[in-house]
Amino acid sequence: MTPTRPVAAVPQELLDHLGPVEGVEVLAYDGADGDTLPGGGRAVDVLVLPFSAGPLLRRLREVPGLRAVVLASAGYEHALPHVPAGVAVANAVGVHDTPTAEMALALILAAQRGLATYALAQAEGRWDTSGVGQRRALADSRVVVLGYGGIGRALSRRLLACECEVVAVASRPRAGDDLVDTVHGSGDLPGLLAGAQVLVVAVPLSGRTRGLVDAAVLAALPDDALVVNVARGAVVDTDALLAECAAGRLRAAVDVTDPEPLPDGHPFLSTPGVLVSPHVGGGTPAAYPRMGAYVTRQLTAYRDGGRLEHVVHTA
């Protein structure tokens, strides 16, 4: 039964971006304070987690009355081991689509155009024109987007603006949309990679997708292809990818890794042809108003129907 006046605990950082939610009691809390429970010990129906939720995740079972959790991340596998029985979990659908797609596009362009080489030369005070006229281009490239959800579609829209051929792949085949003629099933992936210059990984991590991009998938890519991962590190077989890059056959540009964070001296940080950013794809100021709008919709849905939208798991 829907509570007469549901109680929601919301991080202080999102309050200025929260819209009107009449009929919901909103309790603000400091998301950086892992020692104090959200709600101050009061029963909380809906807990909205902050962007940096690690300490609070481990204390979810201590929050009295908890019925639902709203994550501030698109990924949710990290939260599930901490969710109490009977509690629904919703991820941040749509919040990170645009910034993550921007990061994927930035990684592709940086890797294809050799921007890391120029940045290093500038840091050393050198004017380096090596490779001029030989750098790879994004235009006219075949880009396979593995994972055609919100992030995959946002990236595809940008890739088409860069005059690419976009091949969309999802868990199951389906009809196309306004961006692509068809969406291929993941079972067809190896056959779609033969002529690809770029493979972008944008699927959520699950038992089905863990290790999905394995040695066999990588072997199906042509020489000098670029593998971009903005999903989760464990979707790609780290050892297999490093072996291909170390041999000089493939290149990689990744915003996520396995393990994460990378320990000092990890091969990802020194293997030629590998560009690493430290999981910062969704971390832009745009995340706050987008998350605020999303939380407003979620609290309204919970007030009106007693449940969240976009529930990805119920413990």
Side-chain angles (χ1 to χ4, degrees):
M1 180 179 297
T2 306
T4 303
R5 183 176 170 82
V7 176
V10 177
Q12 186 75 41
E13 63 191 13
L14 293 177
L15 283 189
D16 289 342
H17 306 287
L18 197 66
V21 282
E22 295 180 3
V24 178
E25 183 178 359
V26 176
L27 306 177
Y29 73 92
D30 182 357
D33 182 5
D35 296 325
T36 303
L37 283 180
R42 287 187 55 187
V44 171
D45 298 292
V46 181
L47 172 59
V48 179
L49 289 174
F51 289 104
S52 298
L56 284 179
L57 277 176
R58 294 186 287 272
R59 302 193 66 190
L60 289 183
R61 289 180 172 83
E62 301 176 41
V63 180
L66 189 62
R67 299 186 181 189
V69 172
V70 179
L71 301 177
S73 60
Y76 55 86
E77 76 290 337
H78 62 290
L80 301 187
H82 307 287
V83 178
V87 173
V89 178
N91 62 336
V93 172
V95 172
H96 303 291
D97 292 359
T98 293
T100 304
E102 287 179 353
M103 176 57 76
L105 182 60
L107 287 170
I108 296 170
L109 288 169
Q112 297 298 79
R113 301 305 298 268
L115 297 189
T117 299
Y118 302 138
L120 289 172
Q122 180 182 355
E124 295 170 356
R126 296 184 295 106
W127 180 267
D128 184 355
T129 59
S130 61
V132 171
Q134 300 173 8
R135 297 293 182 189
R136 306 160 190 88
L138 182 53
D140 301 328
S141 296
R142 178 182 174 94
V143 182
V144 175
V145 178
L146 176 58
Y148 197 63
I151 294 172
R153 291 193 75 253
L155 174 59
S156 296
R157 185 174 292 109
R158 288 157 175 77
L159 290 171
L160 290 170
C162 293
E163 302 176 29
C164 296
E165 175 193 357
V166 175
V167 180
V169 182
S171 57
R172 291 179 297 275
R174 61 177 187 262
D177 53 21
D178 59 318
L179 300 177
V180 296
D181 292 334
T182 187
V183 179
H184 302 271
S186 58
D188 297 329
L189 180 61
L192 299 170
L193 296 175
Q197 282 74 48
V198 182
L199 167 64
V200 182
V201 185
V203 297
L205 178 61
S206 67
R208 183 181 56 80
T209 62
R210 184 177 295 273
L212 175 64
V213 181
D214 57 12
V217 170
L218 295 173
L221 285 163
D223 292 353
D224 198 45
L226 175 69
V227 178
V228 178
N229 191 0
V230 291
R232 285 293 186 267
V235 175
V236 178
D237 183 326
T238 295
D239 292 339
L241 179 58
L242 283 172
E244 290 277 19
C245 293
R249 201 186 76 78
L250 298 179
R251 296 170 296 114
V254 299
D255 187 51
V256 291
T257 59
D258 180 26
E260 190 175 298
L262 290 175
D264 292 348
H266 191 278
F268 254 135
L269 300 172
S270 58
T271 299
V274 177
L275 175 63
V276 178
S277 57
H279 202 155
V280 294
T284 73
Y288 291 91
R290 289 168 185 256
M291 186 64 187
Y294 180 67
V295 170
T296 301
R297 295 194 299 272
Q298 286 286 29
L299 296 185
T300 300
Y302 191 87
R303 177 200 65 194
D304 294 344
R307 67 186 308 274
L308 300 175
E309 298 176 346
H310 308 297
V311 171
V312 294
H313 179 83
T314 300

